[in-house]
Amino acid sequence: QVHLVESGGGLVQAGGSLRLSCAASGRAFSTITMGWFRQAPGKERESVANISRSGGTTYYADFVKCRFTISRDNAKNTVYLQMEALKPEDTAVYYCAERTRGLAIRKTLYDYWGQGTQVTVSS
């Protein structure tokens, strides 16, 4: 059974940093594409960053480029999202998700989702 558990969210001041983690189980981690998404109150869930099975290819939404970094450790079955220079508009619930096929951005292409972790950035 596939299981994704996010951690690392919290309250941080604008300009601060957080590192999110997502531990995966249930499928061979090196065979799955991973992504981070977020959903702010009243808004649709949107893609933040995605990473290929090997970690060699990544995608970032324009609004996080040069501030966020996605990475993965296949030995630990974990994907990370390092977030720097956080802004109040980054406030959202952050979700990790996985899919068995190649790198994709659209949320509808992901098969399994975690429960999410809240990130709140104060001004």
Side-chain angles (χ1 to χ4, degrees):
Q1 184 175 359
V2 175
H3 199 46
L4 299 173
V5 180
E6 301 96 337
S7 61
L11 174 64
V12 63
Q13 288 189 330
S17 303
L18 280 175
R19 188 195 198 202
L20 305 184
S21 299
C22 173
S25 61
R27 293 204 284 204
F29 190 68
S30 60
T31 68
I32 54 178
T33 296
M34 298 297 297
W36 283 100
F37 297 79
R38 70 186 187 185
Q39 187 166 17
K43 295 188 177 181
E44 288 200 9
R45 193 170 299 188
E46 59 185 357
S47 178
V48 175
N50 312 87
I51 189 166
S52 61
R53 301 179 185 101
S54 68
T57 304
T58 56
Y59 161 83
Y60 294 94
D62 286 342
F63 54 78
V64 301
K65 280 181 180 176
C66 300
R67 297 191 299 124
F68 291 9
T69 303
I70 188 171
S71 62
R72 64 190 295 162
D73 185 338
N74 285 354
K76 295 183 178 179
N77 291 357
T78 302
V79 63
Y80 305 97
L81 185 68
Q82 179 68 43
M83 305 187 292
E84 308 283 350
L86 283 161
K87 305 174 182 179
E89 51 263 45
D90 293 320
T91 295
V93 177
Y94 283 71
Y95 299 89
C96 68
E98 64 167 67
R99 69 191 300 264
T100 54
R101 295 190 178 184
L103 194 66
I105 299 169
R106 284 163 42 199
K107 59 182 181 290
T108 56
L109 297 177
Y110 282 75
D111 304 314
Y112 295 96
W113 294 79
Q115 293 300 305
T117 185
Q118 176 70 47
V119 171
T120 303
V121 184
S122 63
S123 57

